[in-house]
Amino acid sequence: HGGIFGICCRKRNQKKTQTNKKQTTTNNNTETNMLGQTSPANSSPPGNCKFAIPKKGRLFDKVSEMLKGAGVSYRREPRLDVALCNNLPMTLVFLPAADIAKYVGEGNVDVGITGQDIVEESEVVVEEIMELGFGKCKLCVQAQVEKNITDVSTLAGARIVTSFPDVTKKFFKKYDEEKGVKTSVKFVSGSVEAACGLGLADAVVDLVETGTTMKAAGLEVVHEIMKTQAILIANPKSEHKDLVDLVKRRIDGYITATKFNLIMYNVSDELLSKAIEITPGKRSPTITSLDDSNYKAVSSLVKKDQVSDKMDALHDLGATDILVLELSNSRM
């Protein structure tokens, strides 16, 4: 019984097992969130709001931290660029930051996070919901220090290398028309700062954050085209206005919480008005009566970089039991 017949039987059984394993993998290759929504991997359930965020880099790290603090939770499987939000009818789509404005503007996704410079370069119509306060930098015309160029108009008709060709062409258009020349704008996707040193360009248009890379390449700012930072954008025709507003409210609450601490203290009635001058709060402080009718308890929001000074001022005034609490989120 162990001869050829037995070998064939074992092979057939092995094939069945392998087939069953493949079917199990295929059947289990789905994602389910806390709302009971299920969808194939790397896809979005019908009717979900689609939210595009940068897929990697420093911007991804900042956005991930912000979404976690804002209560927008998700679980992203390795090597997948789509994830279901755990507690909202929303699908997160991980895209290159440079593509997000186009996806939002063309209606492929409802809402996204990218830079103002990307929106300007993409030339799409989107609704700018809010500035997020990180990823701040400037888009500047830069030239070699040794050339000592102080008037940007002298670069009209010159060779410009940039990752922002449309913004650059738009910027130089007025100078070209004035001088009857045509500025040559060449697109490169990276290492823009090296173009002048290699003799490929007379100037570059690139982002400047700290200026370290620019200075290392022997460049200096000739003219600032625009300031930019990360922003929340939405498609004006999105059918998910309520969810977009909810995301904005949550992010706004988290950002406020990162900027403020809650300071609490007790103070006598006679010193209350002076104490309130020290801690007026974002709108106004909360004042509560104590068992001792001559004292009040005060709670007030204070900017984080002012906390120590405020505590010292309250102590010197005569306030007691001064406490400072960290905020994890808020609604204002």
Side-chain angles (χ1 to χ4, degrees), residues 46-203:
N48 261 25
C49 176
K50 291 185 278 295
F51 187 174
I53 67 173
K55 66 186 298 181
K56 60 183 180 180
R58 285 183 296 174
L59 205 54
F60 166 76
D61 295 335
K62 284 281 190 180
V63 171
S64 296
E65 180 184 356
M66 182 185 69
L67 292 181
K68 182 180 179 181
V72 180
S73 62
Y74 62 92
R75 184 169 64 89
R76 182 185 181 187
E77 296 294 340
R79 296 184 297 279
L80 296 184
D81 289 332
V82 174
L84 297 185
C85 183
N86 290 329
N87 51 358
L88 292 170
M90 180 178 289
T91 302
L92 297 180
V93 185
F94 301 87
L95 297 169
D99 296 338
I100 289 176
K102 279 192 179 294
Y103 274 84
V104 174
E106 293 173 0
N108 303 113
V109 297
D110 300 280
V111 61
I113 293 175
T114 189
Q116 289 168 314
D117 53 305
I118 299 298
V119 174
E120 190 72 19
E121 176 65 23
S122 300
E123 296 184 320
V124 291
V125 177
V126 297
E127 182 182 355
E128 184 174 320
I129 305 297
M130 64 184 297
E131 296 178 342
L132 301 177
F134 56 83
K136 292 183 178 181
C137 50
K138 300 174 184 178
L139 185 64
C140 299
V141 180
Q142 305 165 39
Q144 289 174 303
V145 176
E146 61 190 35
K147 292 188 177 180
N148 194 29
I149 299 173
T150 57
D151 183 359
V152 72
S153 68
T154 61
L155 289 169
R159 300 169 302 156
I160 311 294
V161 165
T162 182
S163 298
F164 299 88
D166 290 329
V167 172
T168 302
K169 289 174 184 176
K170 190 185 300 182
F171 174 76
F172 277 101
K173 183 179 179 181
K174 58 183 178 181
Y175 299 117
D176 287 354
E177 291 175 350
E178 288 173 3
K179 298 192 173 187
V181 297
K182 183 173 178 60
T183 301
S184 171
V185 178
K186 183 176 180 180
F187 170 80
V188 296
S189 59
S191 300
V192 175
E193 68 281 350
C196 289
L198 294 173
L200 302 176
D202 301 303

Side-chain angles (χ1 to χ4, degrees), residues 210-243:
T210 63
T212 303
T213 302
M214 176 185 67
K215 291 174 183 175
L219 304 176
E220 64 181 355
V221 172
V222 177
H223 188 87
E224 179 186 309
I225 296 177
M226 67 176 292
K227 290 182 172 66
T228 179
Q229 64 174 294
I231 53 172
L232 180 70
I233 59 174
N235 183 283
K237 297 180 181 179
S238 172
E239 298 177 354
H240 300 281
K241 296 290 186 184
D242 291 346
L243 271 174

